[in-house]
């Protein structure tokens, strides 16, 4: 059977796929630190180990790695669409090309989706930080830090979500808590207020935007104007939970362990699949893992 070349079976489709892939809005680059991976898993022993400056005194005092260890295994991901060979022959409107464009968008936002899942499950059993307790927990302890809490609550008048003023109050509380964290030697981390991001569900977007952008709230000057930027992730569906992340550190709240980048491939009219079943396959694959970084750079707040 003759196959009409609509451009789908040429290298141009790969180029078009990656053009759409790169133009899709993504947030993970700002929320996660990229760590290149050279094997099937990586072990992180260096989280929380950097000492502060001290007087030289009698010479250097080297601090070794702590006993906390955090191993992350890479995972393989794929997405594939199947197209009947007759659809290729009959396609005059570019409908299949549109499907491939949507495949590119889904592949591009997958890492954002993984971050959303880590946020949603951050207080659930098994979703642990490098210190061995859940990522959002009221009992983070490392060395001489004492117990520290990055899982907060704030009163709200409506069970459906906060008002702008309530979000503003919760943001003040979260920033105060984040700035108070100590390292594994009991010393303040010395964090600044730069690089703050409020990650919210879509239903909380406008309350959050107003809280950080408005000049005046409730006839009072808004001291939080410009304090953070706001990102809404569509996979966050709990209307009463949001997250404050600090994203300007060397290590961010999440680690993007990058093993193999996204690849686009196709089995077209010359493939065995096409010969036997008259099916053409277009798909993507990649190997990577999204994992927790510093819990000290993340605060969860639940409105009661």
């Amino acid at each position: 059977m003759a196959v009409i070349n609509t451009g789908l079976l040429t290298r141009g489709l790969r180029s078009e796929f990656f053009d759409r892939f790169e133009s899709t809005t993504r947030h993970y680059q700002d929320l996660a630190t990229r760590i290149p991976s050279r094997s099937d898993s990586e072990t992180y022993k260096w989280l929380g180990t950097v000492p502060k400056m001290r007087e030289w005194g009698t010479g250097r005092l080297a601090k070794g790695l702590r006993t906390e260890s955090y191993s992350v295994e890479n995972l393989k991901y794929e997405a594939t669409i199947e197209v009947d060979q007759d659809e290729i022959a009959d396609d005059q409107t570019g409908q299949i090309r549109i499907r491939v464009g949507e495949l590119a968008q889904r592949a591009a936002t997958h890492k954002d989706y993984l971050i959303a899942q880590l946020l949603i499950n951050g207080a659930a059993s098994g979703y642990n930080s490098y210190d061995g307790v859940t990522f959002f927990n009221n009992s983070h302890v490392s060395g001489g830090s004492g117990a520290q809490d990055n899982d907060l609550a704030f009163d709200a008048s409506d069970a459906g979500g906060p008002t702008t003023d309530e979000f503003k109050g919760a943001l003040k509380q979260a920033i105060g808590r984040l700035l108070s964290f100590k390292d594994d030697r009991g010393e303040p981390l010395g964090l600044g207020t730069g690089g703050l991001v409020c990650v919210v569900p879509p239903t909380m977007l406008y309350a959050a935007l107003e809280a950080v952008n408005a000049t005046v709230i409730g006839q009072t000057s808004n001291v939080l104007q410009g304090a953070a930027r706001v990102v809404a992730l569509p996979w966050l569906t709990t209307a009463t939970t949001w997250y404050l992340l600090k994203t300007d550190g060397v290590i961010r709240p999440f680690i993007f362990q990058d093993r193999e980048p996204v690849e686009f491939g196709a089995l077209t009219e010359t493939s065995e699949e096409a010969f036997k079943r008259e099916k053409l396959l277009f798909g993507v694959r990649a190997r990577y893992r999204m994992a927790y970084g510093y819990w000290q750079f993340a605060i969860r707040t639940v409105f009661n």
Side-chain angles (χ1 to χ4, degrees), residues 98-118:
I98 291 173
R99 290 180 63 191
V100 173
E102 291 176 337
L103 182 65
Q105 289 182 323
R106 286 296 186 93
T109 58
H110 182 245
K111 301 177 190 72
D112 287 0
Y113 165 81
L114 293 178
I115 285 179
Q117 299 311 301
L118 291 176

Side-chain angles (χ1 to χ4, degrees), residues 10-21:
T10 66
R11 292 181 180 179
L13 182 60
R14 178 177 284 104
S15 176
E16 185 173 321
F17 173 91
F18 282 108
D19 285 346
R20 181 62 61 93
F21 182 91

Side-chain angles (χ1 to χ4, degrees), residues 230-302:
V230 178
V231 169
L233 295 182
W235 305 280
L236 302 180
T237 58
T238 302
T240 56
T241 303
W242 70 282
Y243 310 87
L244 177 68
L245 306 179
K246 184 167 176 59
T247 64
D248 61 351
V250 176
I251 298 298
R252 295 169 181 165
F254 303 99
I255 291 173
F256 169 48
Q257 188 169 287
D258 192 2
R259 182 67 179 91
E260 296 179 33
V262 169
E263 302 170 359
F264 176 81
L267 291 178
T268 56
E269 78 279 7
T270 60
S271 69
E272 183 178 355
E273 191 77 6
F275 180 79
K276 289 182 176 181
R277 301 176 55 237
E278 293 196 343
K279 301 294 184 183
L280 280 63
L281 303 179
F282 302 91
V284 295
R285 70 175 296 279
R287 288 178 67 200
Y288 49 73
R289 186 74 175 268
M290 196 67 71
Y292 294 118
Y294 274 146
W295 64 262
Q296 295 94 330
F297 291 173
I299 302 286
R300 182 178 81 156
T301 298
V302 178

Side-chain angles (χ1 to χ4, degrees), residues 68-87:
E68 291 118 342
S69 180
Y70 190 48
S71 294
V72 179
E73 181 179 354
N74 289 306
L75 297 177
K76 185 185 294 186
Y77 299 99
E78 69 84 26
T80 306
I81 57 175
E82 182 181 82
V83 179
D84 189 275
Q85 197 159 334
D86 290 340
E87 291 178 323

Side-chain angles (χ1 to χ4, degrees), residues 214-230:
T215 303
V216 176
I217 297 177
Q219 299 181 337
T220 302
S221 295
N222 183 19
V223 297
L224 291 179
Q225 184 181 17
R229 65 186 184 89
V230 178

Side-chain angles (χ1 to χ4, degrees), residues 156-163 166 203-204 239-240 303:
S157 57
D158 187 344
T163 64
E166 288 166 346
T203 54
M204 204 181 292
T240 56
F303 288 100

